[in-house]
Amino acid sequence: MTDTKDKILDTAERLIGEQGYAATSLRHIIAEAGVNLAAVHYHFGSKEELLDEVVMRKAALVNPVRLARLDRAEALAGNKPVAVSAVLDAFFAPMVEAACAHPEFVRLMGRIHSEGLMPAIAKKHFYSTIDRFVKAFGRALPDLPESEILWRVHFMLGAMAYTMLAPPLFPQIAERETDLEQRLKLLVSFLVAGFCAPPSQREEK
Amino acid sequence: MTDTKDKILDTAERLIGEQGYAATSLRHIIAEAGVNLAAVHYHFGSKEELLDEVVMRKAALVNPVRLARLDRAEALAGNKPVAVSAVLDAFFAPMVEAACAHPEFVRLMGRIHSEGLMPAIAKKHFYSTIDRFVKAFGRALPDLPESEILWRVHFMLGAMAYTMLAPPLFPQIAERETDLEQRLKLLVSFLVAGFCAPPSQREEK
DNA sequence: GTCTATACTGAGATAGAC
DNA sequence: GTCTATCTCAGTATAGAC
């Protein structure tokens, strides 16, 4: 029976979203879920792997939608490259949609970004999606060396991570309680310009 | 005598730079420093406050230089605003210099960014510096609403954080072992364009 | 004012009975 | 599959020596 496993996953998702990963002990999770401590290690192996599964369930809400949007944009563009702004929309619009439909998703992701867990998580669950987007950016920006594309995607992910911080760095921003949709609009207009910037000339060795 | 205190600070800085904050236990630090566990709490109060002091010593290497550079750029510009690229240079060039002169500084900062500790640290030790730069960006970009300036600085800090990740997200990037100076050049050209992007029109409520 | 020795609480992990 | 009991190690707190 997977009843125990699901109870652990649901409770962990809720508590981590509310308090963060580090602040949520396994003992707190099992108390609320009404299961035994050892059951966590039986089903998941470790606290970290439990987090992985919690995240994977939520990543499934956005990554397939991102890829589908990119597919559609590429089909529309025919054999011409998709515009940078369209690639960025394919990446960020599914997050806005998921934020409306599944508010717990935003809370969880905000926590994960705030605690610096995203880089490790991204490698496990987002890498293949991001890889497709790197290729799309490469086609949209043929004058940019591939390494610079990779760095700009890197910058994008860092900016996105800080965009999802809860709370943000500046109290002036926090007061307005700008919602995620608004934040991501500001982010995308910033990123479009950044991606379209001329290549940074590199010195020869 | 502050001999004990300095030994703790030096050892903590080295071990945290090598292994990260979470992975470095106080017991490991005191063993290498040859001092007693309780001395840490006597001098610093907690592990977190120890980190604060370690970071503060290193932050003193860059933040005053940043402010001095911005002062000089503003003096040169007279009563005209300083160009965006000059503001960014004043912010990032001191990091490159510190990276060359104090390699342990980069290691420490990379760890702090990787573990998501930077937002909390920034509020304590970098906020006043960043605040001056926010004002400079505001003068350089008079058409941008102040809230959008704040968000763009936010994006900048996020991109910078990921730039300093060790290791970076993509193995293709890690292989080349791009040094910090090269990374920051790529970052600045990305950011100049992002900051200079037209305002994102906001919908009225 | 400084530092040592020791104890306390709570964390994640694990072995083995059922 | 599940649960009890236990292990190791973390950060923290305190009493008291110098």
Side-chain angles (χ1 to χ4, degrees):
Chain A
M1 189 71 79
T2 54
D3 191 36
T4 301
K5 193 171 175 179
D6 284 336
K7 273 194 289 190
I8 296 170
L9 278 172
D10 291 338
T11 311
E13 176 183 311
R14 180 169 57 79
L15 291 178
I16 293 173
E18 285 169 10
Q19 313 173 332
Y21 173 74
T24 302
S25 69
L26 292 179
R27 284 171 172 83
H28 188 175
I29 294 171
I30 59 134
E32 297 239 342
V35 303
N36 185 275
L37 176 59
V40 177
H41 289 95
Y42 173 75
H43 285 290
F44 302 97
S46 70
K47 189 185 179 186
E48 196 184 332
E49 289 168 290
L50 167 60
L51 177 68
D52 278 348
E53 289 219 33
V54 168
V55 171
M56 196 154 32
R57 294 200 307 177
K58 290 297 151 183
L61 290 176
V62 285
N63 281 338
V65 185
R66 283 171 162 159
L67 293 173
R69 280 216 182 214
L70 189 55
D71 284 339
R72 189 143 42 90
E74 285 176 340
L76 274 172
N79 49 8
K80 297 171 66 175
V82 179
V84 167
S85 61
V87 178
L88 286 168
D89 275 340
F91 192 78
F92 287 105
M95 285 195 55
V96 175
E97 289 160 14
C100 298
H102 308 272
E104 81 282 1
F105 168 74
V106 183
R107 241 180 298 133
L108 182 68
M109 288 296 158
R111 288 293 182 184
I112 287 173
H113 280 110
S114 296
E115 294 185 75
L117 305 170
M118 202 55 204
I121 299 272
K123 278 178 192 160
K124 291 180 205 148
H125 306 305
F126 291 82
Y127 191 86
S128 63
T129 300
I130 290 174
D131 198 49
R132 276 274 331 255
F133 279 83
V134 169
K135 290 192 175 67
F137 281 120
R139 278 193 295 273
L141 301 163
D143 293 337
L144 227 51
E146 200 204 335
S147 65
E148 191 152 11
I149 296 277
L150 286 170
W151 275 112
R152 289 187 181 183
V153 171
H154 216 255
F155 303 151
M156 170 184 90
L157 296 172
M160 181 187 77
Y162 269 45
T163 303
M164 300 193 72
L165 281 191
L169 283 174
F170 305 119
Q172 305 98 305
I173 293 183
E175 283 166 12
R176 321 221 178 168
E177 286 222 39
T178 322
D179 63 8
L180 186 66
E181 183 173 1
Q182 190 57 248
R183 295 183 189 192
L184 289 180
K185 258 186 198 156
L186 295 169
L187 175 61
V188 167
S189 61
F190 180 86
L191 292 175
V192 169
F195 270 103
C196 295
S200 159
Q201 52 267 40
R202 328 182 62 161
E203 61 230 13
E204 302 298 326
K205 300 200 178 179
Chain B
M1 186 72 79
T2 54
D3 192 37
T4 302
K5 193 171 177 178
D6 284 336
K7 273 194 290 189
I8 295 171
L9 279 172
D10 292 339
T11 311
E13 176 183 310
R14 181 170 56 80
L15 290 178
I16 293 172
E18 286 169 9
Q19 314 173 333
Y21 173 75
T24 304
S25 70
L26 291 179
R27 284 170 173 85
H28 188 175
I29 294 171
I30 58 130
E32 297 238 343
V35 303
N36 186 275
L37 177 59
V40 176
H41 289 93
Y42 172 75
H43 285 289
F44 302 97
S46 70
K47 187 184 179 186
E48 195 184 332
E49 288 168 289
L50 168 59
L51 177 68
D52 278 348
E53 290 219 33
V54 169
V55 171
M56 195 153 33
R57 293 200 307 177
K58 291 295 151 184
L61 291 176
V62 287
N63 281 338
V65 186
R66 283 172 163 159
L67 293 173
R69 282 216 180 212
L70 188 54
D71 284 340
R72 188 143 44 90
E74 285 175 341
L76 273 172
N79 50 7
K80 296 170 68 176
V82 179
V84 167
S85 61
V87 179
L88 286 168
D89 275 340
F91 192 79
F92 287 105
M95 284 195 56
V96 175
E97 289 160 16
C100 297
H102 307 272
E104 81 282 1
F105 168 74
V106 183
R107 241 179 299 133
L108 183 68
M109 288 297 159
R111 287 294 182 182
I112 287 174
H113 279 110
S114 296
E115 294 185 77
L117 304 170
M118 201 57 204
I121 299 272
K123 278 178 192 160
K124 290 179 205 149
H125 307 303
F126 291 82
Y127 192 86
S128 63
T129 300
I130 291 175
D131 198 47
R132 276 274 331 256
F133 279 83
V134 169
K135 290 193 176 65
F137 281 121
R139 278 192 295 274
L141 300 163
D143 293 338
L144 226 51
E146 199 205 336
S147 65
E148 189 151 13
I149 296 277
L150 286 170
W151 274 112
R152 289 186 181 183
V153 171
H154 215 255
F155 302 150
M156 171 184 89
L157 296 172
M160 182 188 76
Y162 268 45
T163 303
M164 302 194 69
L165 281 191
L169 284 173
F170 305 119
Q172 305 99 304
I173 293 183
E175 284 165 12
R176 320 221 180 169
E177 287 223 37
T178 321
D179 64 8
L180 187 66
E181 183 173 2
Q182 190 56 250
R183 294 183 190 193
L184 289 180
K185 258 186 199 157
L186 295 170
L187 175 61
V188 167
S189 62
F190 180 86
L191 293 174
V192 169
F195 270 103
C196 295
S200 159
Q201 52 267 39
R202 327 182 63 162
E203 61 230 13
E204 303 298 326
K205 299 199 180 181

